[in-house]
Structures are given as C-alpha cells and as structure tokens.
Amino acid sequence: MLFSSVEFLCAFLPLTLLVYYLLPGRRLRNHFLLLMSLLFYAWGEPLYVLLMLTCIVGNYAFGLLAAAFRPKGQEGGSPWPARVNLVAMLVFNLGLLAVYKYASFVIGNLNAAFGLNLDDPGFVLPIGISFFTFQGMSYVIDVSRGQAQARLNVLDVGLYVAFFPQLIAGPIVRYNTIAAEIDGRRENWRDFAAGVDLFIIGLGKKVLLANNFALIADKIFDGGAYDNVLEMSVAAAWIAAIAYTLQIYFDFGGYSDMALGLGRMFGFHFLPNFNYPYVARSVTDFWRRWHISLSSWFRDYVYIPLGGNRVARWRLALNLLLVWLLTGLWHGANWTFIVWGLYYFSFLLLEKFTGLNKLLAKIPLVGNVWTLFIVIIGWVIFRSPDLPSAVQYLGLMFGLYNNPLTDEIYIFQLLENRVQFVAALVACLPLLPALRALFARVNLQVGRGLLGVPLGVVRDCFLVLVLALALAALAKGSYNPFIYFNF
C-alpha cells in the first residue's frame, strides 16, 4: 500500500488516526500501531510478513543477549561472548538479505562464470527488506554499545522495526534517536499540524512532480532508447536523464517527507532524510544531503569502526571502497548498482585526497554544475537494466552514434512539461529556509503584525491546493510508480 494511494489516504490513515487517539494509555496505543503496521505490510506482502516477524523476534533476542553480555558502565569494547552475539546478529540479518535479495544474482553469475547449472531459488524480493533489516541491526548495535537500553517487551522492538511510516521505504530510523519516544512521547496539536503540513508537501512532490517525470523518463528510457540508437537525439536522451534525476528525488524525497509527517502525527520525531541535495557544490556535499539516514548508517556502523579517516591513506581508500561497494549492493542485486557505488567512490576519493570539494565550495556555480553533471550521469547508470545498456545510453547522451542533436520527442516533452520543470526547479532550491531566515532578521513585532497572518493564510491555501490537486490526480488513476519499492 502506497502512501500516495486512495486506499491509504481515504481508509487506512483516517481509521488509524481515529482509533489511535481514542485509545487510552501509551501501551494500548503502541500495540495498536504495531497491529496496524503489520496489517499495512501484509496488504502488499501477506506471506513475507512472517519474514519480518522473524526479523523482529531474532533481533529482540540478540538485543537481550547484547545487554546481558555488555559490561556495566562500558560503552566501547566487549568480551568475546558479546562479540560472538554481534557476529551472530550480523549473520542473521545479512543472511536474510543474502537469501532473499542476492541469491539469484550470485547464482546467475556463478552459472555464467563457471558454466554451472545451479538452480535459481526465484525468491520474490520482500518489500522494504533492506530497511527493516538495517533497523534491526541498528537496535542490537546501539544496545551492545551502551547507547540504548534493551527492550524487555518484544512488541516494543516490533513497533520500532515495523512502524508503518518508515517500514517500506525509510528513512532508516536509528534506534537511539527514537528509543525514548516509544514510551515517553507526548502527542500535541503543534506536532500533529506540522506533520500534516509535511505529509501534504511530500504527497505533492510524489504525485504532482515525481509521477509526471516518471512518464517522461519511462517513455524515453523504455520506449526505444536501447533499441533505436540512430533515431534517439542527444537532447531527448538528456531530457530523459534529467527527468529521472528529478523523478527519483521527488519520489524518494516526497515519500520521506510523508514518512516524517506521519511520524509527527503519532508523536515521533524522525531525522530529515534529504536536505536540498541538488544545490550541492561537490560530490561530498551531495552525499551529506542525499538519503542522509543511509549515509549516516554506513558512516557510524561501518566506516568509523573500520578506522574512518584516522588511518593511513591506503587504509582510508580501502575503507571508502568497502563502504561504497556496500552502498551500491544495498540498492540492489545488479552490476549497475555495484558500478554506481564504485563510481561515487572514485569521485569521493578524488575530492578527499585533493581537497577539490573545499575548492568547489568556494566557487558556487562551478561546484553546482560539476556536481549535477556527475549526479545525472550516475543516475543513468543506476536506472539502466544492465551495464551494456548504461554504456549505450551514455553514448547517446554524448552523440557517439552520430544520432541527431534534437528531435520532435525532445521538443514535445519540453513544451508539454514546462510547468513541471519550472516547479521542480523551484522545489529543488532552499527557498523556504531562505524566506524563514529573511523574516527572522526583520523586526519580529512588525513581522507578526503585518506579515504573520497573511503568510500563514497563503501557506495554508497553498497546502490545500496541493492536496486537492494530488487527490484529483490520484482519483483519475494517474501513473503512480514508486522506485524504492525495489530496495
């Protein structure tokens, strides 16, 4: 069930909110949220809900053992029973990923490389498995480090892992950031209203922008770009790549906004997952702004334990290589994702070893163009079904097949979607924080008296308009894909 679906907006969410706020007591509310989260997941994965329950129970047990084995007052280092428990937890969670996400990929490559005839298990990828297994690992690691207390009630661990706002597409919520809110949160109208605002903004990004750009990208990428090389123009190839660049941002970023908004409606405060990534002035800066929860997860649980950047240069390069190889693999079982991860590793290594990112930060326009160019090329690799297709499409973008510079497809898509491109440009820029900073600098009394009410009214009218347009588009049965269901 998508957040941007009629079933969710008109049935599941209203019913969940109504019953939740009618129930007395924190414990009943938490148990109800867990029940609704399991029903939410079972809507699309009725069988694999058992797999998620296995993940919950397994990590609950590992968490209890981590707390039992951890020496009192010790946050770093641990005796061998704790280390064995940690290794067993990693084998358990990564084993689930290996079986259900990577088994077919590994077997297919072994068959191709060595002429074997191993049977492909043909498992269907469980929705959100990369997210809920990483959250399970976060819980046990945080407990083993002494950064959080183990939960004695398995239902509390279940709520953390399965909570429906972040269940199928993130953000990856770190356990130590919301542990206190499982029992101690205090719902209030301000948070609820802020959550509604965030949800509507995210819904608008997803339905009004991402879905429209998906039509452009899919029409060109899947409608002949890999077959009719000589007929596809350079401009059409670029506009599809740019459309996909915008689609994946507003798709995932919009979904993250909706997740944060839903969390706020129930009293949870998740950390932001995106921070205007397309205004980044370097690749390093981009990855501080894009999918922040994943970047910080790998930083804190992989990169820093390996020594981070406080090691010799060759070891630093090896640490970065491992992190970005894992980052690519996390996104999917395909060589395109592995190459995509190594692609970013090469640019991040270049910037770290040369200080290029610091230089680019001082040259705004050059840094922005450099970063966007690298990001767009990277999304082409990410979007392509295989490596030969990625190479071919990049050749189209740079006219290596003597394909025409422009064509009717490019002109039609540009003119037909000019409003969406302008809206996307505005939405990619940090205009709202800039306006808030501007009004914070003027006289507060004047701002409240003359500007406060009108600006609030304008904001509310804008949100109502966005909601109405999004609901109208969904009622019409508009194209509504979701990229991160694949991860």
Side-chain angles (χ1 to χ4, degrees), residues 327-348:
T327 300
L329 277 170
W330 180 89
H331 283 87
N334 194 319
W335 284 105
T336 54
F337 295 122
I338 296 173
V339 169
W340 177 79
L342 297 178
Y343 170 83
Y344 273 110
F345 156 74
S346 64
F347 284 106
L348 289 165

Side-chain angles (χ1 to χ4, degrees), residues 55-77:
C55 179
I56 290 169
V57 173
N59 284 296
Y60 165 73
F62 286 122
L64 291 178
L65 291 173
F69 292 145
R70 188 183 67 237
K72 293 181 179 180
Q74 181 175 336
E75 295 187 5

Side-chain angles (χ1 to χ4, degrees), residues 216-259:
I216 302 171
D218 292 350
K219 181 178 179 62
I220 296 176
F221 271 99
D222 301 330
Y226 302 121
D227 301 321
N228 305 318
V229 176
L230 298 179
E231 298 177 12
M232 179 66 62
S233 73
V234 172
W238 272 97
I239 202 169
I242 293 170
Y244 184 73
T245 298
L246 295 171
Q247 177 199 352
I248 195 169
Y249 172 49
F250 291 118
D251 192 76
F252 190 26
Y255 217 85
S256 292
D257 286 344
M258 287 189 277

Side-chain angles (χ1 to χ4, degrees), residues 306-335:
L306 287 173
N309 55 7
R310 297 182 177 181
V311 292
R313 282 203 156 194
W314 69 268
R315 180 67 181 274
L316 170 60
L318 185 61
N319 291 348
L320 283 172
L321 174 63
L322 179 60
V323 166
W324 285 97
L325 180 63
L326 292 174
T327 300
L329 277 170
W330 180 89
H331 283 87
N334 194 319
W335 284 105

Side-chain angles (χ1 to χ4, degrees), residues 362-380:
K362 301 174 183 178
I363 317 172
L365 186 59
V366 174
N368 295 134
V369 172
W370 156 265
T371 306
L372 274 177
F373 177 79
I374 291 169
V375 167
I376 291 171
I377 299 302
W379 288 137
V380 170

Side-chain angles (χ1 to χ4, degrees), residues 85-275:
N85 180 62
L86 199 60
V87 170
M89 179 275 296
L90 293 174
V91 170
F92 171 74
N93 286 287
L94 297 178
L96 292 178
L97 279 175
V99 170
Y100 288 96
K101 190 168 184 175
Y102 303 108
S104 295
F105 174 70
V106 172
I107 289 172
N109 280 279
L110 287 175
N111 287 342
F114 300 105
L116 303 176
N117 193 28
L118 302 174
D119 290 333
D120 185 343
F123 290 123
V124 176
L125 180 65
I127 294 172
I129 188 172
S130 295
F131 290 96
F132 66 71
T133 51
F134 268 45
Q135 292 202 177
M137 287 189 281
S138 171
Y139 167 69
V140 180
I141 294 171
D142 287 349
V143 171
S144 68
R145 289 178 174 179
Q147 297 173 346
Q149 296 297 317
R151 290 279 165 176
L152 300 180
N153 190 336
V154 68
L155 299 181
D156 291 337
V157 178
L159 177 60
Y160 162 66
V161 173
F163 189 31
F164 73 88
Q166 43 74 36
L167 173 59
I168 58 175
I172 302 172
V173 178
R174 302 273 288 279
Y175 178 68
N176 58 26
T177 64
I178 66 159
E181 291 186 333
I182 292 177
D183 292 323
R185 66 187 183 279
R186 293 291 180 266
E187 301 89 341
N188 58 75
W189 175 248
R190 178 177 294 181
D191 271 348
F192 189 90
V196 172
D197 289 355
L198 263 175
F199 185 85
I200 293 174
I201 290 170
L203 183 67
K205 289 179 179 178
K206 172 70 180 79
V207 176
L208 302 179
L209 292 176
N211 288 357
N212 279 286
F213 291 120
L215 285 170
I216 302 171
D218 292 350
K219 181 178 179 62
I220 296 176
F221 271 99
D222 301 330
Y226 302 121
D227 301 321
N228 305 318
V229 176
L230 298 179
E231 298 177 12
M232 179 66 62
S233 73
V234 172
W238 272 97
I239 202 169
I242 293 170
Y244 184 73
T245 298
L246 295 171
Q247 177 199 352
I248 195 169
Y249 172 49
F250 291 118
D251 192 76
F252 190 26
Y255 217 85
S256 292
D257 286 344
M258 287 189 277
L260 267 64
L262 289 168
R264 292 285 282 274
M265 292 182 205
F266 295 102
F268 289 93
H269 296 77
F270 303 152
L271 297 178
N273 206 24
F274 290 87
N275 182 24

